[in-house]
Amino acid sequence: MRRSGLLACIALAFGALFVAGNHSRAQGEPYLQKRAAMVRDQIEREGVSDPRVLAAMRDVPRHLFVSPSFHAKAYEPYPLPIGEGQTISQPYIVGFMTQILRLKETDRVLEVGTGSGYQAAVAAKVAAEVYSVEILESLASRSRRTLSDLGFRNVVVRHGDGYYGWEEKSPFDAIIVTCAGGHVPPPLLRQLRNGGRMIMPVGGPFMTQNLVFIEKDARGSITNRNVLPVAFVRLLGH
């Protein structure tokens, strides 16, 4: 074969690959665009500014954490059902709770209430390790499978009562509680490292709930403050 013919064949092959790649990207583009719009309009515009959190939320495919019937609504500004009477949180709340913890790339994080696994996935993009406890076995199994399929190797999901945390893996640099309790569980406070941060919705099912931000200083003294009124599903177990 002449050199010019060989070059033409190579060019055609690369052209086919380019078209195939563009077609593949085009297939996923509706969700990429929706995800970018979600971050821009619902999260960044509302005050979440940590570039690592914004990048994580642009990257994590929220639609894959809900059933196919809800894929088209996955990037809208509200919670969605995930079965067992539970929900995936509103995107802004996920971004807000992740940012307020000031996660570092070396941090070990405890999550209470895995649910769909979406919050764990976002935190895992920013921190080193995420240990998540889910009291409903069906959700624990499903979220474990979703996270594994998406390649998350730094998230471990356990079926259990999150009220008691995960003592064997403590202390934690940060704790995220994604379900509302009437009080902050003492085991979680004990498992929070000195210098650690915690965020949790506090309030009963028929009461006003507030996101409470908790810090433990270098000497182990604890301070807390209300940061945002919210509505979360209740903390089960205990």
Side-chain angles (χ1 to χ4, degrees):
M1 182 182 288
R2 292 182 178 177
R3 180 178 175 81
S4 59
L6 177 61
L7 290 174
C9 287
I10 292 172
L12 284 171
F14 273 105
L17 286 171
F18 178 76
V19 170
N22 273 352
H23 177 71
S24 175
R25 282 190 291 273
Q27 292 287 85
E29 189 62 26
Y31 289 122
L32 291 174
Q33 290 178 346
K34 286 185 176 183
R35 195 150 61 247
M38 174 193 77
V39 173
R40 182 187 66 242
D41 299 336
Q42 301 175 41
I43 301 168
E44 191 170 15
R45 186 171 292 171
E46 292 300 319
V48 175
S49 58
D50 186 326
R52 301 166 307 151
V53 175
L54 298 175
M57 298 194 74
R58 288 190 195 97
D59 194 42
V60 176
R62 188 173 188 258
H63 64 282
L64 296 183
F65 291 85
V66 297
S67 68
S69 62
F70 286 107
H71 280 188
K73 297 181 178 180
Y75 299 101
E76 299 299 322
Y78 42 71
L80 292 171
I82 58 171
E84 301 279 7
Q86 306 301 299
T87 61
I88 182 173
S89 294
Q90 176 185 348
Y92 168 70
I93 293 296
V94 174
F96 179 87
M97 291 176 74
T98 307
Q99 172 171 274
I100 201 169
L101 291 174
R102 305 190 302 272
L103 297 178
K104 302 186 290 294
E105 61 183 12
T106 56
D107 279 353
R108 173 177 292 196
V109 180
L110 172 67
E111 179 190 37
V112 174
T114 316
S116 69
Y118 179 66
Q119 173 70 80
V122 171
K125 288 282 185 179
V126 185
E129 301 171 297
V130 177
Y131 294 90
S132 190
V133 186
E134 172 56 54
I135 197 167
L136 298 169
E137 190 169 8
S138 63
L139 294 185
S141 297
R142 191 192 313 163
S143 60
R144 191 183 294 119
R145 185 167 58 250
T146 301
L147 290 161
S148 176
D149 289 348
L150 289 171
F152 285 93
R153 300 292 177 259
N154 61 335
V155 181
V156 183
V157 177
R158 183 175 82 172
H159 170 231
D161 189 342
Y163 182 94
Y164 299 101
W166 196 330
E167 190 166 4
E168 311 92 273
K169 299 297 183 181
S170 65
F172 298 98
D173 301 288
I175 298 177
I176 307 173
V177 183
T178 63
C179 33
H183 62 276
V184 178
L188 300 186
L189 294 176
R190 288 195 296 270
Q191 292 171 33
L192 187 64
R193 186 190 303 276
N194 286 0
R197 293 85 55 205
M198 176 177 171
I199 187 78
M200 174 180 175
V202 177
F206 305 107
M207 300 165 52
T208 299
Q209 297 175 4
N210 281 289
L211 273 182
V212 177
F213 180 61
I214 298 156
E215 290 187 275
K216 183 185 281 192
D217 68 19
R219 297 170 298 179
S221 296
I222 292 170
T223 59
N224 62 75
R225 59 187 173 91
N226 293 347
V227 293
L228 196 68
V230 289
F232 273 77
V233 295
R234 67 187 182 89
L235 177 66
L236 301 176
H238 178 49

